[in-house]
Amino acid sequence: MTNNDILEKYYSFLLELQEKFGVNDDCMQMIYLELLQYNNKKLIELDNNNEMKYWIVRLVKNYWFSKNSRYYYTYKRYYDYFEKYANNDCEEEEY
């Protein structure tokens, strides 16, 4: 079983998590990439031990909520920065 097969097997579960946590598409793409690049033997072991869903949930939560994740440093901190200062600029223009 390849990493792609495992991703296909859990794809609907990943979509459910995306909807539940409100994860955006950029973050999900990074999660898919992580799954495809992860050690195949470990993924197969997780799947055989019925621990894959728990591992995926932890992966999604770490990427989406953590300020130390690759997603945060690549995208989210810039989104947060932009939103913070874009809202401040709009308030100042209302004079």
Side-chain angles (χ1 to χ4, degrees):
M1 181 178 254
T2 65
N3 288 10
N4 193 42
D5 295 335
I6 293 171
L7 180 60
E8 287 178 10
K9 180 177 178 180
Y10 290 99
Y11 184 72
S12 61
F13 180 68
L14 283 159
L15 292 178
E16 289 176 27
L17 291 177
Q18 181 181 10
E19 186 176 329
K20 180 178 181 177
F21 293 125
V23 178
N24 68 16
D25 292 334
D26 291 331
C27 186
M28 287 307 293
Q29 291 297 320
M30 292 187 83
I31 291 167
Y32 298 146
L33 188 60
E34 179 77 26
L35 281 166
L36 291 171
Q37 293 177 344
Y38 202 74
N39 185 339
N40 185 260
K41 290 180 183 179
K42 290 182 181 179
L43 287 180
I44 291 172
E45 182 180 333
L46 287 169
D47 191 36
N48 290 338
N49 294 334
N50 294 323
E51 298 172 350
M52 182 60 93
K53 285 187 176 183
Y54 301 109
W55 186 82
I56 290 173
V57 169
R58 178 57 35 207
L59 181 69
V60 171
K61 288 179 83 173
N62 283 343
Y63 264 83
W64 187 241
F65 296 112
S66 175
K67 289 193 174 189
N68 295 323
S69 70
R70 278 187 231 156
Y71 170 71
Y72 181 80
Y73 281 105
T74 306
Y75 295 105
K76 195 169 184 179
R77 73 176 168 169
Y78 299 111
Y79 291 154
D80 293 344
Y81 180 80
F82 178 74
E83 286 178 9
K84 178 181 175 184
Y85 289 102
N87 291 336
N88 287 342
D89 290 341
C90 291
E91 292 172 6
E92 292 175 4
E93 293 178 1
E94 292 178 3
Y95 288 112

